[in-house]
Amino acid sequence: MLIEERCYVLHAEHPPAMYLDLYRRSGALDLQVKTLGRLLGYFVTEIGELNAVVHLWGYDSFEERVRRRAALAGEPLWQDYLVKIRPMLKSMNNRLLVPADFSPIR
């Protein structure tokens, strides 16, 4: 299994609640779950770097991730959503993680 960790830090004038509301209302959440498949978790920060949203997605392989992300990128609803959220984003990071053999998520 491969885990993708994505972290979006939002500008101060766009709190996580605003971002999450748009994510739900726009249909982007449903589209992402349908297209990417395995949502492992969606989080907001409470301590540390504030105004951040972190989400984890699981894939069976790097190739599956590439295929699913390309399918998402080709969706018109997704493209419309990106236009709306890009001004909210101060920074974006993503990491690909491989679980240790004793990890409960494998």
Side-chain angles (χ1 to χ4, degrees):
M1 173 182 265
L2 185 68
I3 311 278
E4 181 173 19
E5 175 196 64
R6 298 182 75 87
C7 180
Y8 304 156
V9 178
L10 308 173
H11 290 287
E13 63 270 19
H14 300 288
M18 180 186 292
Y19 170 89
L20 295 173
D21 182 56
L22 177 60
Y23 184 53
R24 283 189 211 97
R25 282 186 302 106
S26 68
L29 168 60
D30 293 335
L31 177 63
Q32 239 187 339
V33 168
K34 176 184 156 201
T35 308
L36 298 183
R38 201 174 322 162
L39 174 61
L40 300 176
Y42 223 98
F43 311 90
V44 296
T45 54
E46 185 68 27
I47 294 176
E49 184 166 29
L50 299 178
N51 227 32
V53 177
V54 178
H55 38 119
L56 304 174
W57 298 88
Y59 302 98
D60 290 330
S61 67
F62 181 76
E63 293 75 20
E64 179 196 13
R65 179 195 172 274
V66 168
R67 182 179 52 76
R68 288 181 177 269
R69 297 288 314 175
L72 181 65
E75 290 283 345
L77 186 148
W78 185 250
Q79 293 303 317
D80 292 343
Y81 170 71
L82 292 179
V83 168
K84 294 172 186 168
I85 66 152
R86 280 191 178 124
M88 300 173 87
L89 303 179
K90 180 178 174 182
S91 68
M92 297 180 355
N93 271 315
N94 76 312
R95 300 190 301 179
L96 297 179
L97 309 168
V98 178
D101 63 354
F102 54 83
S103 175
I105 297 176
R106 295 182 356 137

